[in-house]
Structures are given as C-alpha cells and as structure tokens.
Amino acid sequence: MIIANWKSNGGLMMIQDWTSDFINSCSPKDFYVGIAPPVIYISDFSLLEWDLDTLEERSNNKIWDIKIGAQDVDHSSGSRTGAVAIKMFEDFGIDFAIIGHSERREHFNEDNDLIKQKIIALNGSNLKTKILCIGETKEENDKGITKDVLKNQLEVVDAMDLENFIIAYEPVWAIGSGLTPDPKDINEIHKYIKDVVQSTSANNLVPKVMYGGSVTDKNAESFFTEQFVDGALVGGASLNGKTFANIVNIYSSTK
Ligand code: PGA
C-alpha cells in the first residue's frame, strides 16, 4: 500500500501535470495506491479523466484503480465552521481517510480523545480504509521512550473496527526533515506495533503497518525490503508524479 499525502500543497495546474507524469512513469501494480489531495481539490481529482486505455494496456488489462482519500475528517456535522463531515467525503466516493497525523496533533491540538471520536465516526462509514498515524518526537526518541509513546497513541485502537484500519508509523522527527530511522529499527518498531494491536484485538488481528517520514525514490527500497513494512505514506516526494510513480514501482518490485 502506497499513499501520497499532499498536505496543503498543490493546485489545479499541478494536478494535470502530476497525473500525466504519474501515468507515464508508473508500471503495473496490483496493490493499493492512493492519493490524499487537499480537500478543495478532491472533486477535480476524482473527476479527472485518467488515461485508462493506456493504463490498461500497460497493465495487461488489469484495471488500474487509484484511490482518492481524505487527509483528515471531522467526526460530526452541522454547526462546525470549516469542518468537512464524513458523509460529504462519502458523496464523492472517497475510499480512505488519514487520521491522527502528527501535524494535526501539533497544529490543531488533536489528542487521543478527539482521534477516538473520529475512529468511532469512521467505523460505520463508507470510507473503507482508515489510516491512523502515530509517531514519537525527536525528544521522545532521544529519551528512549518511543515504545511508551506509541503504546499510548495506540490506546485508541480499542475503538476501532480493526479489519479496516491500517497504522502508519511516522516518527515526527523524520517528517519532511530528510532524516530517517535505520530500516532495521523501523522493522522492529513495526513488529512492536503489530504485537500491541494484536494483543488488544478480539479476533487476534494483526494490522498492516506503513512507514512515513522522508520516504523518497532513493531510500524506499531500504524500507520495503524489511519484513514488517507494509507500505509507505509519502509526503514531500509525492508532490512529483514521476517520483511518486518511482516509489510505487519500487514497492511493486520489492514486495
Ligand atoms: P514526508 O511526509 O514524506 O514529507 O516526510 C510524510 C508525512 O507526513 O506523511
């Protein structure tokens, strides 16, 4: 699973250029690829005429299915100025939602209580895939308390319909910094996350865990070759259609 998170970047022109760069560079794939553009561009994006003939031809008649997602959702609706309700995303056939991103936690004061409300609202929705982001700060990493921090952030999983949830491990210090943990350390943390979630799951479910934080087409392979890395959430490097296609291609040939 590879997801592009455009954050608050991009524009109409960029969507056109990005799409043709992506289509011209991406090889066939049979796994989940998604794009979360800024919410105001979702309709432009989902109504875009993807060059399906070319894509089908190149993928041996396998229909390409690129999912569109929400970078965040509101847990309610009505008198909530500026918020976008889950049912509005459903109207546009949006397939996935990201919640709990560290930028939401930091700039919008989102805490476990609010994230839990979003989880509960998403459980019954038509947004099929839900991605929960967790990660420690540099300070927490230096103090050696990464696992405690993650365990605390994972307390919200008891509210989840676990079958449709995916965890994204995104160390805050790795986001947009060009710094990344050692792939072996990422693998160990992903195993830890899987174990913690499995132990809270009534059905013994082991979640998929993606990695996010300065993933590029230069370092992606080093992450994807690790056993417990089930994909990537890509910010900066997803803003270029060719680079994002390269990352998708690397995942295709590694996993
Ligand atoms: P980055 O962002 O790839 O630019 O580090 C990742 C993210 O925040 O999801």
Side-chain angles (χ1 to χ4, degrees), residues 14 33 97 132 155 168 199 224:
M14 176 178 155
V33 176
L132 171 72
E155 270 174 14
S199 69
F224 297 158

Side-chain angles (χ1 to χ4, degrees), residues 21-38:
D21 287 349
F22 179 76
I23 287 174
N24 288 327
S25 314
C26 205
S27 315
K29 52 96 193 156
D30 54 7
F31 51 87
Y32 196 109
V33 176
I35 302 163

Side-chain angles (χ1 to χ4, degrees), residues 38-170:
V39 69
I40 199 161
Y41 298 124
I42 276 187
S43 58
D44 302 289
F45 223 108
S46 49
L47 300 177
L48 251 195
E49 285 179 24
W50 294 89
D51 186 354
L52 286 176
D53 289 344
T54 316
L55 290 173
E56 277 183 57
E57 201 177 293
R58 204 177 306 154
S59 58
N60 293 330
N61 295 326
K62 222 182 272 171
I63 304 271
W64 276 53
D65 195 7
I66 298 165
K67 309 290 191 190
I68 307 296
Q71 295 176 10
D72 181 48
V73 295
D74 188 28
H75 61 283
S76 189
S77 62
S79 304
R80 301 176 63 76
T81 302
V84 184
I86 290 171
K87 62 179 189 237
M88 297 168 189
F89 289 111
E90 290 177 331
D91 276 350
F92 282 83
I94 300 310
D95 202 77
F96 72 93
I98 300 170
I99 52 167
H101 192 283
S102 62
E103 288 156 12
R104 300 290 317 172
R105 294 177 196 257
E106 185 187 342
H107 303 307
F108 302 91
N109 297 322
E110 295 202 3
D111 59 9
N112 275 0
D113 285 345
L114 180 58
I115 292 167
K116 208 169 203 171
Q117 292 184 61
K118 293 186 184 203
I119 288 171
I120 291 165
L122 277 168
N123 275 337
S125 77
N126 289 338
L127 276 66
K128 285 192 229 77
T129 302
K130 295 100 178 174
I131 301 166
L132 171 72
C133 299
I134 58 171
E136 83 286 2
T137 62
K138 173 89 178 74
E139 201 188 3
E140 290 160 344
N141 188 283
D142 288 347
K143 277 194 205 150
I145 56 168
T146 296
K147 287 185 177 170
D148 298 331
V149 171
L150 299 179
K151 194 164 193 181
N152 175 273
Q153 292 173 339
L154 285 170
E155 270 174 14
V156 300
V157 302
D158 65 0
M160 283 178 183
D161 152 15
L162 275 175
E163 274 176 47
N164 299 313
F165 263 93
I166 292 177
I167 311 291
Y169 170 53
E170 300 205 302

Side-chain angles (χ1 to χ4, degrees), residues 182-238:
D182 186 287
K184 295 264 171 287
D185 294 339
I186 294 175
N187 201 45
E188 198 218 312
I189 293 288
H190 282 212
K191 173 80 174 73
Y192 173 76
I193 293 169
K194 284 170 187 271
D195 288 347
V196 170
V197 177
Q198 187 183 17
S199 69
T200 44
S201 161
N203 305 331
N204 219 22
L205 282 170
V206 182
K208 296 219 173 308
V209 182
M210 315 161 72
Y211 170 73
S214 295
V215 174
T216 66
D217 53 355
K218 305 284 179 294
N219 61 18
E221 191 176 347
S222 70
F223 305 129
F224 297 158
T225 45
E226 294 298 330
Q227 183 185 358
F228 299 114
V229 175
D230 302 315
L233 183 51
V234 188
S238 75

